[in-house]
């Protein structure tokens, strides 16, 4: 028996196999033979499709895309930058480098 090299399957191929498995028209062995993969792989991709089907419609996407924002930290940073700007504006106007820029 010759050993087959490891293959990388595209997401489209995996979806095609998983959808065919969900249809139930053919047995796992028939699907595995048709797509030239191991029957356990068909079962695994079918399971993954069933578990992640809700993500297709955005159930998990909204929470994953927007990281939690700490408003207190942002307000503190705004206050710090405002204070620094005011300090620099005062120092530059004393030296004469800032003349009515605002």
């Amino acid at each position: 028996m010759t050993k087959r090299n490891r293959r990388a399957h595209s997401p489209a191929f995996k979806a095609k196999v998983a959808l065919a498995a969900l249809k139930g028209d053919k047995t796992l062995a028939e699907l595995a033979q048709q797509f030239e993969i191991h029957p356990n792989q068909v079962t695994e991709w079918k399971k993954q499709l069933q578990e992640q089907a809700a993500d297709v419609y955005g159930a998990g996407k909204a929470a994953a895309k927007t990281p939690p924002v700490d408003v207190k930290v942002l307000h503190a940073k705004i206050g710090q930058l405002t204070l620094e700007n005011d300090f620099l504006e005062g120092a530059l106007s004393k030296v004469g480098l800032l003349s009515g820029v605002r």
Side-chain angles (χ1 to χ4, degrees):
M1 183 172 163
T2 60
K3 188 173 181 179
R4 181 183 279 182
N5 288 339
R6 190 173 184 90
R7 296 183 296 176
H9 299 289
S10 70
F13 178 78
K14 293 177 184 181
K16 183 178 177 181
V17 173
L19 288 172
L22 282 175
K23 278 186 184 176
D25 295 343
K26 296 181 180 182
T27 65
L28 289 177
E30 291 171 336
L31 289 172
Q33 185 177 15
Q34 176 186 346
F35 293 109
E36 298 179 357
I37 57 175
H38 195 275
N40 290 347
Q41 194 65 67
V42 176
T43 305
E44 182 64 27
W45 290 343
K46 178 182 172 183
K47 180 180 151 192
Q48 288 175 358
L49 177 65
Q50 289 173 328
E51 290 173 351
Q52 298 173 2
D55 293 342
V56 172
Y57 296 105
K61 289 184 181 179
K65 285 187 178 178
T66 57
V69 176
D70 190 1
V71 178
K72 288 183 178 181
V73 172
L74 294 177
H75 283 294
K77 187 66 174 178
I78 290 171
Q80 176 190 356
L81 293 173
T82 303
L83 185 66
E84 290 174 1
N85 283 340
D86 291 344
F87 173 78
L88 290 173
E89 181 181 0
L92 289 174
S93 56
K94 285 181 181 178
V95 174
L97 295 175
L98 187 66
S99 55
V101 174
R102 280 195 180 191

